[in-house]
Amino acid sequence: MSRRTQSGTLINALRAIIPTADISILQERPWHSLTFSGTQIGLSVQYSDGPWQSDVAALSQLLSEYEFDLAHQIVADIGVTQAVIGKGTQCLIIDALLLDS
């Protein structure tokens, strides 16, 4: 499975959680340890007046506990690493580590 397909499946899963968000890939690179391989993905999530507008902590908690169902992948780590709140809009940076299964 290509890395672009991996990020696409994660983006589709995130759209189910945050359907009004505009999600784009900031960076994507291979990741390897002695026993695992996978992909590190950085995403930009932008939305306005959504249900998470003022509650980034709740979204972070939800992501850390959410059971993602991705084919051939395990979400080993995911979280909101940066949040910028402007007038009526919000931009979140979400970093994730997907392991090949």
Side-chain angles (χ1 to χ4, degrees):
M1 180 179 291
S2 74
R3 284 194 309 272
R4 286 289 175 199
T5 304
Q6 290 178 341
S7 61
T9 58
L10 179 60
I11 288 171
N12 289 338
L14 288 171
R15 284 189 177 129
I17 299 170
I18 317 167
T20 60
D22 178 23
I23 304 171
S24 60
I25 301 167
L26 294 175
Q27 62 92 18
E28 183 174 9
R29 63 180 180 211
W31 179 90
H32 303 281
S33 73
L34 289 175
T35 53
F36 298 103
S37 63
T39 306
Q40 288 180 321
I41 300 172
L43 301 170
S44 169
V45 178
Q46 298 183 16
Y47 57 91
S48 59
D49 299 328
W52 304 103
Q53 185 68 22
S54 62
D55 206 351
V56 175
L59 178 59
S60 295
Q61 183 69 27
L62 174 68
L63 289 176
S64 70
E65 296 174 357
Y66 192 79
E67 292 292 327
F68 289 91
D69 184 20
L70 307 179
H72 311 290
Q73 300 170 302
I74 298 168
V75 178
D77 190 26
I78 189 167
V80 177
T81 56
Q82 186 176 3
V84 179
I85 300 170
K87 274 191 164 178
T89 63
Q90 186 163 301
C91 178
L92 305 177
I93 305 301
I94 294 178
D95 289 320
L97 174 61
L98 304 183
L99 300 180
D100 301 332
S101 62

